[in-house]
Amino acid sequence: MKRSIYIIILQFVFSFYCVAQQRPQYTQYVFNNFLLNPAISGIENYADVKIGYRKQWAGIENAPQTSFVTAHWNLGSDYLWKNALSLPDKGDDPMSRNYMQNYTSSPAHHGMGVTAVYDELGPLSRLDANLTYAYHLKLNNTFNLSVGVAAGVSRVALDVNALTFEDQTRIDPSISNGIVSQLKPDLGLGVWLYSGRLFAGASVQQILPQKLSFTGDRNYNTGKDVAHFFVTAGYKLFVDDEISVTPSIMVKQVSPVPASIDVNLKMAIKDRFWIGGSYRKDDSFSALAGINISKLLNLTYAYDFTTSGLNQVSNGSHEIVLGIQLNNVYEVFSTTRMW
């Protein structure tokens, strides 16, 4: 391979964070919106833990891989009864049509959580670790509005050992002056409106403007963090007492690239098994499935069928998430109030 090709690759690496999405892509955010919106902190009556892994564009060497752990819980020692955070009675289905008819919003309360996301893209890696806090306000008998903040650090690193040239005797200055890693402060905000059937939210990540460069060479140090904006909404419909469907939409904006639009649909049976589909404009179709194994464990999986030009070389994307519901004394099987 010609040396000039490596220079082009280097220019892409060093400027990538200036012109493209910097946070990982997710398909199962519909299962864990907390990844994108800190206002969801403490929305459940138990500690909601998620452990996930995503393999983007399988079949392409050095394609993105993402691992994450999230956890959030409501603050306070008292359980909230007959509201968005608890069952009407032990063992009943909290998302059944009968319960929704008598749904009442939760009293005002606080929530907090933690997120840790590790993302790899070729020689680049990124670790985002945040603490989150949310306040849930009771608007009326059926609606809550929560406001949340996420604060933490981001570590972005370049593995210079993964960059090799045909002529190792002539090392490019951008490599010889390379900055191996850098630590930056991180801040995100979000709002979340929810009732028994409806949810809507908006959030922004990477609010703080930060320069991002891996070299002292001025020709390659134009990288910077850019804000990521998310807006989503969905509504739960009942086919009968045991089957429900939930359509939802997500719009994501990362300047200067065009907005990304996802349309999703989930069908659940007794909130024990569910299947779903998703379409991401100009990118992919996705198939999703999940099972609530017990009051402690649930497992979900998604496969993305790539529709962009990458489908010539990619075998699609895989994403799997394990959910753990700690201190779930009321034996809730469904893992999320909304989705």
Side-chain angles (χ1 to χ4, degrees), residues 49-124:
V49 181
K50 298 286 194 301
I51 303 170
Y53 172 76
R54 178 178 177 85
K55 175 68 174 178
Q56 184 96 356
W57 303 326
I60 299 179
E61 186 177 0
N62 295 322
Q65 299 183 73
T66 306
S67 304
F68 65 83
V69 177
T70 67
H72 66 92
W73 55 93
N74 64 302
L75 296 177
S77 58
D78 295 333
Y79 288 99
L80 304 175
W81 294 80
K82 293 186 181 295
N83 52 51
L85 308 183
S86 65
L87 286 169
D89 291 298
K90 184 175 180 179
D92 285 357
D93 179 4
M95 304 301 286
S96 69
R97 174 187 284 177
N98 290 336
Y99 176 55
M100 289 301 169
Q101 292 174 347
N102 299 311
Y103 177 91
T104 58
S105 57
S106 68
H109 64 279
H110 307 268
M112 70 175 300
V114 293
T115 64
V117 180
Y118 182 69
D119 190 46
E120 293 180 286
L121 172 59
L124 285 172

Side-chain angles (χ1 to χ4, degrees), residues 10 14 158 160 163 165 171-179 214-215:
L10 282 172
F14 293 141
L158 172 67
V160 295
L163 300 174
F165 293 92
I171 303 299
D172 191 272
S174 60
I175 291 298
S176 60
N177 297 326
I179 300 172
F214 300 99
T215 176

Side-chain angles (χ1 to χ4, degrees), residues 5-6 14 39 58 74 81 139 142 166 172 188 203 218 223 242 244 265 275 283 296 327 329:
I5 298 299
Y6 283 100
F14 293 141
N74 64 302
W81 294 80
L139 296 180
T142 55
E166 189 173 288
D172 191 272
S203 63
R218 292 183 179 180
E242 296 184 344
S244 66
L265 183 68
I275 57 174
D283 183 71
L296 177 65
N327 200 27
V329 296

Side-chain angles (χ1 to χ4, degrees), residues 280-329:
R280 181 172 296 126
K281 184 177 181 292
D282 299 326
D283 183 71
S284 64
F285 286 96
S286 302
L288 305 89
I291 178 172
N292 298 317
I293 300 170
S294 69
K295 68 175 183 179
L296 177 65
L297 298 174
N298 51 78
L299 187 67
T300 62
Y301 171 77
Y303 177 77
D304 296 357
F305 302 85
T306 306
T307 59
S308 68
L310 286 171
N311 62 8
Q312 301 299 315
V313 291
S314 168
N315 298 323
S317 302
H318 304 269
E319 187 173 313
I320 187 167
V321 179
L322 174 67
I324 305 173
Q325 300 173 164
L326 301 177
N327 200 27
N328 185 10
V329 296

